[in-house]
Amino acid sequence: MSDLDQLVATARADFDAAGNPAALEDAKAKYLGKAGRVTELLKGMAALSPEEKKSRGAQINVVKQQIESALTARRQALADAELQIQLKAEALDVTLPGRQAGLGGLHPVSRSLERIEAIFGSMGFDVADGPEIEEDWFNFTALNTPADHPARSMHDTFYVDTVAPDGGGHLLRTHTSPMQVRYAVQHVKKHKTLLDAGQAMPEIRVIAPGRTYRVDSDATHSPMFHQCEGLWIGENVSFKDLKSVFTDFFRTFFETEDLNLRFRPSFFPFTEPSAEVDIAFSSGPLKGRWLEVAGSGQVHPNVVRNFGLDPERYIGFAFGMGPDRLTMLRYGVNDLRLFFDGDLRFLSQFR
Ligand code: DAH
């Protein structure tokens, strides 16, 4: 092998040994750089005759081209290898199962609230919402339960600030009944002109579902629970209407005609007479058992007066029921706390 062929072979071996672009550029300098071997060869031609220069020059040029093409080839090989590494690192295995988007669902109590709103909505009831931090006046005093009334002890109240004897002060509402007063007062304001002219006012028909609070916690009580208030006031609204509304409501809610309803005498300060509402299924696992589902009654004249209405002319009924309890009955759940523990093993069963 001539010294020139030897040079090309060494250069190739050097280039092949360079494991990365920086090493390859160093190797290139050794041959093609200013002080490189090829440059040395060209300098060495200075002493040659013109004839010799011609043939030697041509040989050196061939060598230079061969080294350059070896360099280019090695550059390409290194770039290809790098690309392969990068592709491998960023490889997507399209056969892997995708990341699942968690399937959410409505909370079972929210489902009940939606059903309650839809059913009462279909019977012409408006849906109202109000504050959970309530004024003592709306929660108790306006509902015929003044500060010294013994019925206040029926509610284990979370007080926010001190209650003044005149009904000032705030608490976490113990029931949704304050919404009766809030809604009725607005309704009366809206129809003031009619009322002032002694004309009939459109009936009040409203439900007010929402969160309520009492200092209580066991399998059937939670410090936070839900209630749904109802109010229907007109010139001629009676218990008969209450019974038919309730019967329709519960039969629709539980999706069965095999359901009976009874009123059991009771006491609430804001109604007179008052009744506890019980339902019983005539088939199914709860067959024949009377289940308490709501409190109700004819709105007390003092409360009607607090609405801003004349109790001699306006009369009607109110009720309060527990959507949590209805949900327990509908799905056969026996511990209320499960609804509020936030355990997905329980909640995801209702998706
Ligand atoms: N607010 C009552 C409670 O929490 C439930 C209730 C009973 C509401 C009778 C009413 C009613 O509107 O007429 O125990």
Side-chain angles (χ1 to χ4, degrees), residues 175 177 180 214 227 229 268 270-271 295-297 318-320:
H175 51 180
S177 304
Q180 284 185 29
R214 290 192 205 179
Q227 274 198 351
E229 194 69 16
F268 298 102
F270 32 89
T271 44
S296 68
F319 59 85

Side-chain angles (χ1 to χ4, degrees), residues 129-150:
D129 199 5
E132 291 171 26
I133 297 178
E134 185 54 284
E135 291 170 39
D136 178 85
W137 193 79
F138 285 110
N139 196 83
F140 287 127
T141 309
L143 291 167
N144 202 31
T145 322
D148 56 357
H149 198 289

